[in-house]
Amino acid sequence: MAQTLGPRPLPSILLLSLVPVGAWLLVRPLLDPLPPLPAFHAALGLSIYAFLATIYLVPALGEAFIKARLFGRDLLKTYDTPIPESLGLVCASVYILVLILFIPFAFSDVFLNDYEDRSKHGLVVAEFPHQKLAVYLSSILSLLIATMLGFLDDVFDIRWRHKLPIPIIATIPLLLVYYAERGNTNVVVPIPLRMFFGTLVNVGPLYYLYMSLLSTFSTNSINILAGINGSETSQALIIALSVILNDLLYLPWPFGVRIPLHLLGGHTEFNVGGAWSAGMAYGSRELVERHLFSLYFMLPLVGVCAGFLYHNWYPARAFPGDTLCYVTGMAFAVVGIQAHFSKTLLLFFLPQIFNFVLSCPQLFGLVPCPRHRVPRFDKETGLLYPSKAVFKKRPSTVATVILKVFEGLRFVKLGVNAETGLLETTNLTILNVFLVNLGPMKEDSLVKVLISTQAAGSVLAFAVRYGLAWLLYDGNRR
Amino acid sequence: MAQTLGPRPLPSILLLSLVPVGAWLLVRPLLDPLPPLPAFHAALGLSIYAFLATIYLVPALGEAFIKARLFGRDLLKTYDTPIPESLGLVCASVYILVLILFIPFAFSDVFLNDYEDRSKHGLVVAEFPHQKLAVYLSSILSLLIATMLGFLDDVFDIRWRHKLPIPIIATIPLLLVYYAERGNTNVVVPIPLRMFFGTLVNVGPLYYLYMSLLSTFSTNSINILAGINGSETSQALIIALSVILNDLLYLPWPFGVRIPLHLLGGHTEFNVGGAWSAGMAYGSRELVERHLFSLYFMLPLVGVCAGFLYHNWYPARAFPGDTLCYVTGMAFAVVGIQAHFSKTLLLFFLPQIFNFVLSCPQLFGLVPCPRHRVPRFDKETGLLYPSKAVFKKRPSTVATVILKVFEGLRFVKLGVNAETGLLETTNLTILNVFLVNLGPMKEDSLVKVLISTQAAGSVLAFAVRYGLAWLLYDGNRR
């Protein structure tokens, strides 16, 4: 049964009704009375347009990508329609254009006409000091380099060993501007270690190393958790939403919320929000500014990811390519570095960390690594099954021990290959772990399991960050 | 006689001897005594490395470009070897990477340890104030967008009518940062018009329009004067060298030179150089800084263009693609805008302006425009002849008048097509004008004629700028 795949229809009337909403959010900050965070309104409005641009442009440009030979076949389907690949380039272009168009909202004096007067009332924060413009621009530059390199990766098909360091190149502007602006390289020492090192340690060059490794991790960890429709995009979407939720806790809301943290094991309650205490920033203008910076990067990212997911959802009409993973990974690294919450950020990557650690035996050659590690599609049942890696010779002792431990933890299913009589294992990816434990399932069910896991990981991350962090750091640390 | 084309051999020993020279230029500013312009040394050193990186990377990466289907056939040759196309991407990447690596040299306090002390002696200028970092970054951002769009143009083969506005997109960061930083939008009125407008006029939004049109012109005018080996690269090289020569006039040289301008029609002499008068800047620190900014962008551009020209020279082993035209055009626009010498810059584009004006009847459809307007290659003689455009119907009166005028000026040769009996004309490009007037010639001779014309244009430009500008502006205007 040959199936053809037309473009996914767009609910145009519903979508076009967003146009006036976005326009209102862009115009509102120019009207009196000035809202508390005028540039935040503008960022929201621009993000809506980013969403609309992406959802309309992706199907419109698919044809051109196929014509330029940027397409792939969906390996987990019965049909053979060419699916445009690297459409992450469209997302990245829209995203970066929106970030650039945001410059006058955040950095010029458009909204600052009666800022002086209102800041006395505690409701308005000076969005961005002008000197932060260089930091903002260096971040965009890093994102653009990541986009460029991601697209080159798609066009030239770079080998994964060669492309591991690519994100480091993309962080160069970020790091050099951090250096030129004499960025802070102090690290707060966890309480148990303070007797040795004191409260603050200046780690100097190590901090730059840490920043470039962070970007390498955030980029590649999304890239290796890929292969089924919607997986990359939904990971990026949920991480971005988690970062946004975390940022919102620090804004000066006009209302206050009390969170009973003892339920989570904390020893106190959190008073969140209230205009005067500026959320969890407790009146620290610097914290508010940092989290606003993060929001300005995350809101449009959610816009483009949501718009793209509409077409990337099972059965996918467009593939993201490496470009999307590079630009989203770099965006997370940028906010983690510039807004100084890289440890919290890493907590949102729990499924990626699990997947990376699990993958290590294959990445480092202990266990054979086939070209694709995606689950195996069975045309008869229409279900996905765990894919397998077969040893070509007797596995080393280390490999056997690791695989036995993984089997005990129900991460893999071992067996003996019928043809060679040698050991075989399910591939070491989180997607195969799901299939091993939950049984064969359809592709869209699997991506839903992935999404639920990512969301559950974020809930856990919040619990750890706000419930347990007091064990290692002073209570009010961001 | 089938001819094959191997890579052009590199004089490795000669080239590698440049490595220590570059290293010395990078290290020298760190040693005592501090040179007058430490970052200028670093820019020179980095430009040497840009040259070396380009000359080695272009042949090394050619294979990968061919594999990714980025290649073309040389239409003006007897052989049919696939030549890698879009290698301008390599130039642009090296160029931008060097500009980024330059950030700590220009903007951090690496060289400023004893700056305070020395500036009193008039020999040291504070290279860049920190706040200029945003301007520098926005310029790199524009260059990177131009590169990206140029490469997309090469991959997706965008139609020329659609790509005319592309440079405007690339100038957005430049313009928005100019706006956010409240850039100057005043224009100095030429002396004869001052009775109407005064000395300074604030043209406001028109200034932004002018800036985006400037980038559109500088980009596309190089792009349409293309088609023979080395033409785009050599144009860019000579314009960049002209800009550098102009910039050098404003630096604080430790020696003074007196130029007898009355020979050129000026009414005075110029005292150029001398540490205390800071060249033609006459002690204006702002002028020195502007021209240093320009040098920091032009020196590495010369490096990559020279490195690429080695492989792009007749018979070409690599084609630049649109990417090179976009990035070089944008680089000229950036320095023209940010260093405020756009009128002088336009004077260096005389051959391009001539070519553009000449092309207009074809660009706007008055005269038929074939897909390629490059000269015609004759395999028997190995010479280039003017290529022709043939009318499909009777030409309009306007077209006839224009062509008759052009014929009178010896810009075209008109004829009657043997098959259709209708009017035919040589294509309206400067390359065909050369062939009409100088007779058929070899491809390398034609590109040498083009280079000589470009150089002669720059000599004329300097004569106009420093010999005649006093007719329109006050003597000491930059």
Side-chain angles (χ1 to χ4, degrees), chain A residues 69 100 109 134 137 176 182, chain B residues 69 100 109 134 137 176 182:
Chain A
R69 310 184 62 87
I100 290 173
D109 45 9
L137 289 171
L176 288 183
R182 294 186 218 170
Chain B
R69 309 183 63 86
I100 290 172
D109 45 10
L137 289 170
L176 288 182
R182 294 185 218 170

Side-chain angles (χ1 to χ4, degrees), chain A residues 164-240:
Chain A
L164 262 185
I166 283 181
I168 297 179
I169 299 176
T171 32
I172 291 175
L174 213 63
L175 301 187
L176 288 183
V177 170
Y178 200 88
Y179 175 75
E181 297 275 349
R182 294 186 218 170
N184 178 15
T185 55
N186 290 316
V187 165
V188 179
V189 179
I191 292 170
L193 297 177
R194 283 190 195 166
M195 58 177 94
F196 306 112
F197 302 108
T199 310
L200 273 181
V201 167
N202 188 351
V203 293
L206 284 181
Y207 199 81
Y208 291 90
L209 183 69
Y210 170 71
M211 292 194 281
S212 49
L213 289 182
L214 181 72
S215 70
T216 311
F217 171 76
S218 62
T219 302
N220 285 302
S221 67
I222 296 180
N223 211 357
I224 65 169
L225 209 173
I228 61 172
N229 291 172
S231 54
E232 300 94 327
T233 324
S234 58
Q235 291 171 69
L237 187 61
I238 290 173
I239 297 172

Side-chain angles (χ1 to χ4, degrees), chain B residues 13 52 158 178 201 215 280 283 327 332 358 376 380:
Chain B
I13 294 170
L52 288 174
I158 303 168
Y178 200 88
V201 167
S215 70
M280 293 190 61
V327 76
F332 296 131
L358 186 70
R376 182 174 58 82
E380 298 301 314

Side-chain angles (χ1 to χ4, degrees), chain B residues 192-406:
Chain B
L193 298 174
R194 284 191 192 163
M195 61 177 94
F196 306 112
F197 301 108
T199 310
L200 272 182
V201 167
N202 187 351
V203 292
L206 284 181
Y207 198 81
Y208 290 90
L209 183 69
Y210 169 70
M211 289 193 282
S212 49
L213 289 182
L214 181 70
S215 70
T216 311
F217 171 75
S218 62
T219 302
N220 286 302
S221 66
I222 295 180
N223 211 357
I224 63 170
L225 208 173
I228 62 172
N229 292 174
S231 54
E232 301 95 325
T233 324
S234 57
Q235 289 172 69
L237 188 62
I238 289 171
I239 296 172
L241 287 172
S242 309
V243 173
I244 287 175
L245 190 58
N246 185 53
D247 290 332
L248 290 179
L249 295 179
Y250 294 83
L251 294 196
W253 295 113
F255 50 87
V257 178
R258 188 173 285 258
I259 302 176
L261 265 192
H262 50 85
L263 296 180
L264 290 168
H267 59 164
T268 179
E269 294 189 333
F270 267 111
N271 292 310
V272 176
W276 292 92
S277 63
M280 293 190 61
Y282 295 105
S284 156
R285 185 192 186 117
E286 199 187 347
L287 276 187
V288 174
E289 280 174 359
R290 283 178 182 174
H291 286 280
L292 274 174
F293 181 96
S294 169
L295 279 171
Y296 298 158
F297 278 85
M298 288 295 115
L299 289 172
L301 190 69
V302 165
V304 296
C305 283
F308 186 64
L309 190 57
Y310 186 80
H311 301 287
N312 186 222
W313 188 256
Y314 175 88
R317 266 69 168 186
F319 290 151
D322 291 321
T323 317
L324 190 81
C325 302
Y326 278 68
V327 76
T328 51
M330 187 52 64
F332 296 131
V334 159
V335 297
I337 291 169
Q338 304 284 29
H340 295 269
F341 58 80
S342 58
K343 292 193 293 293
T344 308
L345 178 72
L346 283 175
L347 285 176
F348 296 135
F349 275 81
L350 289 178
Q352 283 71 30
I353 294 172
F354 173 79
N355 187 58
F356 174 73
V357 173
L358 186 70
S359 296
C360 280
Q362 284 194 309
L363 296 182
F364 297 113
L366 279 172
V367 174
C369 186
R371 173 117 178 77
H372 292 286
R373 303 192 298 160
V374 287
R376 182 174 58 82
F377 176 64
D378 187 280
K379 288 197 183 183
E380 298 301 314
T381 59
L383 299 179
L384 297 184
Y385 294 82
S387 61
K388 288 176 182 168
V390 184
F391 280 88
K392 295 221 167 50
K393 47 180 192 176
R394 275 186 66 84
S396 65
T397 322
V398 185
T400 315
V401 171
I402 291 173
L403 288 177
K404 288 282 177 203
V405 173
F406 281 177

Side-chain angles (χ1 to χ4, degrees), chain A residues 64-65 68-70 89 97 100-101 103-104 107-110 130 133-134 137-138 140-141 144-145 147-148 151-152 155-156 172-173 176-177 179-182, chain B residues 64-65 68-70 89 97 100-101 103-104 107-110 130 133-134 137-138 140-141 144-145 147-148 151-152 155-156 172-173 176-177 179-182:
Chain A
F65 277 70
R69 310 184 62 87
L70 290 164
L89 179 67
L97 192 62
I100 290 173
L101 291 176
I103 292 172
F107 299 99
S108 75
D109 45 9
V110 171
H130 275 240
L133 180 54
L137 289 171
S138 71
I140 298 182
L141 203 49
L144 192 51
I145 295 178
T147 303
M148 184 97 194
F151 187 62
L152 292 183
V155 170
F156 291 103
I172 291 175
L176 288 183
V177 170
Y179 175 75
E181 297 275 349
R182 294 186 218 170
Chain B
F65 276 71
R69 309 183 63 86
L70 290 164
L89 179 67
L97 192 62
I100 290 172
L101 291 176
I103 292 173
F107 299 100
S108 74
D109 45 10
V110 170
H130 275 240
L133 180 54
L137 289 170
S138 71
I140 297 182
L141 205 48
L144 191 52
I145 296 179
T147 304
M148 183 98 194
F151 187 62
L152 291 182
V155 170
F156 291 103
I172 292 176
L176 288 182
V177 170
Y179 176 74
E181 298 275 347
R182 294 185 218 170

